Amino acid sequence: YLQANVVILHKDLADEFEAFCRANPSPLPLLYRSDPGEWGCPPLSAQADIRYLICVLFGLREDCAQYCVFEKGALVKKVASLVPYTSQLQDMVTFYLGCSFSFERALKQAGVPVRNAEQGRNVSMFRTSVQCVRAGPFRCPMVVSMRPVPRDKLDVAAQCTHRFPLAHGGPVHIGHPGILGIPELWRPDYGDAVEASPEDVPMFWACGVTGAEAVQSTKLALAFTHSPGCMFLTDREEVTAASQTSESGSCPLTFCISQNPLHYSIASKTAVQQVRELEQLIQEDPGQRGIQALFVPDELLRACLSLSHASSVLITTGFPTHYMHDPPEETDGPPGAVAMAAMLQALGKHVVIVADQRAMELNMRIIQDAVDKGVIKSAVPVMSFQGSSPDSALRFLCHDGDPSKPRSHVLKKPTYCWSDLFKHCAPYRFDHLVAVERSGRACDGNYYNMRGVNIKHLVDPIDDLFTTASTVPGITTTGIGDGGNELGMGKVKEAVKALMPKGSLIACDVAADFAIAAGVSNWGGYAVACSLYLLNRCDVHRRYVQKGLGVLPAAREHSLWAASLPSVPKEEEILRILVKHGVRSGKTANLGLEVDGLTFHPTHSAMVQRLRDLSLEERAVTKALRCTS
């Protein structure tokens, strides 16, 4: 039967607590709010009297010390009956909130072992560092429950619990507990420690004990909650808590986006399919370079899932292939970088661009012109990195060289120097580094264009940021390239050496966590922007990113994101800006609307339009099919 968490407080605060529940629907799914002095809850139980609670403890009906009594926010005792408080209860309101115990039977039926039940223990519950959305006087960290789930059952567990929105719904985190601010799994704040099997992954759901945290933080004169793990038992069968409108396209799929620390993300089947179609689209190879040989499935998807979780993103671009010209840069790279930056800005991320010192002024002028022409909404800070000392890369990536520093905060003013960045921003660290058509270091320490010419004298050691990031937990890297000599494409260097022209000489030796191969690198940047749009339009993914807190983005946010998508007019305009500043086509050195020897019309404009159309396409979802694995 459906089980419930209970919070009882004074009627004067009832409206504000209900608002708190509405603002935090995953930890506090509201099943019923009583009237003042109402002992029963007719929609949930025909004969219930909240003063005499018959509850469930570890799955067994029995009498126990069911209630926690709080006075001025402090737990003063636990009692089995509230009859002694009958007079006070006349002016109090009871809130019945969904409970994750309601989906445990469904997990078992789906073949997912429930370790706490197997071990005869209460579920492990933890206070996190994730703050709930405040409402009135109510504010507190979210509490989560944890169940170890076998790695090969993660999709099944996510899909199964996704169907129980009134029992906290799907997981809010999968992976390392430290990402939620949980120091040790063997020391739960509530419940019992649960032993995991070797192939298990920690899976966390929002927990109704969050209500007890809210009561304590508000320091109410008198309040009651259920005792954690000791739930109110209703007359409703568990199946009635499951969503009756589950659609096959909205079923969640899980993907590992980091091994250090272990971190999984979630997106719906429909969103995943659309991103995979984008990935296939950018594999077209009009330059006949054989780029398909470098293709690794789902790199675009995993990279964009990771970017969606990031707070602060560093983008680097610049391939000085035309060493005989000034400037030596090519038109592939900057348009893709600007397209990604525009979407990341729209999603509220902090974005900086890192360029070679000699090209700082050029990149600043390009960015400012892009703002003036409406290609991007606001200027992106441009920085350089020269690697003047052994710890320069770590100090650049993490404030004071300390990886434990918190994530970034809003810049107080625009800046174009990395040392100034530290002065005008609270302690921060980058979460994700992206290189798009950025010259990459070969195994001999040099940098080569596709003709095999060494251009090391024109390139700053930005590769060091990527190699250092690989040693810092929590920083992810992505490389986007179309030939294998670009930064980050070291992940596929063996394929580059074996299959690409001059591959054994030019192959980049520096690997990124994700390597996105595209027919033209700009297309990879466009696809990242489009994928971020699709993922953040996906309610399943957005809920997971938001940890089930707050309301999902509405039409206004969706419109802002759509306006930040690449478009043919914007991409033609950024190309005109590059030509204005003397930037040439990579393959031919032509000073015109051309990238890699391919004219903007029709080749690039057609690709931009196809990517955009796919992103804006509204997919029909089959309602007749249930969410299955």
Side-chain angles (χ1 to χ4, degrees), residues 440-443 484-485 493 496-497 502-509:
R441 184 185 298 147
C443 60
N485 58 347
K493 64 182 178 182
V496 175
K497 291 177 180 180
K502 301 184 187 298
S504 59
L505 174 68
I506 69 171
C508 176
D509 195 50

Side-chain angles (χ1 to χ4, degrees), residues 382-590:
V382 180
M383 307 188 297
S384 67
F385 171 77
Q386 284 80 52
S388 56
S389 65
D391 66 344
S392 292
L394 187 60
R395 293 187 64 248
F396 189 98
L397 294 172
C398 306
H399 184 70
D400 289 337
D402 183 357
S404 67
K405 292 291 185 180
R407 292 181 171 182
S408 65
H409 298 277
V410 178
L411 280 170
K412 297 177 182 176
K413 68 177 183 178
T415 182
Y416 302 98
C417 171
W418 74 276
S419 60
D420 285 345
L421 185 70
F422 291 130
K423 297 176 184 177
H424 302 298
C425 158
Y428 82 107
R429 57 177 287 174
F430 290 106
D431 302 307
H432 203 124
L433 316 183
V434 184
V436 54
E437 191 64 20
R438 169 70 195 176
S439 46
R441 184 185 298 147
C443 60
D444 63 3
N446 293 317
Y447 297 78
Y448 298 97
N449 64 16
M450 291 298 289
R451 298 179 182 86
V453 177
N454 185 4
I455 54 174
K456 182 176 181 179
H457 61 291
L458 297 171
V459 180
D460 289 341
I462 293 172
D463 306 65
D464 291 348
L465 298 179
F466 279 64
T467 57
T468 299
S470 68
T471 69
V472 179
I475 302 182
T476 305
T477 56
T478 295
I480 302 173
D482 57 14
N485 58 347
E486 302 89 359
L487 178 54
M489 299 303 286
K491 182 172 182 178
V492 292
K493 64 182 178 182
E494 297 307 319
V496 175
K497 291 177 180 180
L499 301 170
M500 302 302 287
K502 301 184 187 298
S504 59
L505 174 68
I506 69 171
C508 176
D509 195 50
V510 180
D513 294 309
F514 306 109
I516 300 171
V520 177
S521 293
N522 280 340
W523 298 359
Y526 303 153
V528 167
C530 293
S531 297
L532 286 169
Y533 171 78
L534 287 170
L535 290 172
N536 283 275
R537 281 292 308 269
C538 167
D539 287 349
V540 171
H541 178 66
R542 281 298 303 189
R543 175 192 175 275
Y544 185 78
V545 170
Q546 294 176 199
K547 304 292 189 291
L549 304 177
V551 297
L552 293 176
R556 181 178 178 276
E557 287 84 359
H558 293 169
S559 296
L560 174 64
W561 302 340
S564 300
L565 283 168
S567 68
V568 172
K570 285 194 291 187
E571 300 317 314
E572 182 172 5
E573 189 60 55
I574 190 67
L575 200 52
R576 291 186 184 279
I577 291 169
L578 292 173
V579 172
K580 167 188 168 183
H581 292 289
V583 180
R584 300 169 181 269
S585 175
K587 189 174 182 179
T588 63
N590 286 342

Side-chain angles (χ1 to χ4, degrees), residues 190-210:
Y190 305 96
D192 300 325
V194 176
E195 296 177 9
S197 295
E199 292 301 312
D200 286 350
V201 175
M203 205 165 192
F204 299 85
W205 284 264
C207 177
V209 178
T210 302

Side-chain angles (χ1 to χ4, degrees), residues 112-116 119 146-150 194-197 200-203 205:
V112 179
V114 180
R115 303 296 187 204
N116 53 290
Q119 298 166 27
M146 187 283 296
R147 293 167 178 83
V149 174
V194 176
E195 296 177 9
S197 295
D200 286 350
V201 175
M203 205 165 192
W205 284 264

Side-chain angles (χ1 to χ4, degrees), residues 3 8 11 32 62 112 116 136 153 165 202 239 304 312 364 368 390 450 453 464 517 532 551 582 590 615:
Q3 300 175 44
I8 305 173
K11 62 184 180 182
Y32 183 68
E62 60 178 61
V112 179
N116 53 290
K153 298 290 186 182
V239 69
C304 291
S312 182
M364 285 159 38
Q368 189 56 56
M450 291 298 289
V453 177
D464 291 348
L532 286 169
V551 297
N590 286 342
S615 303

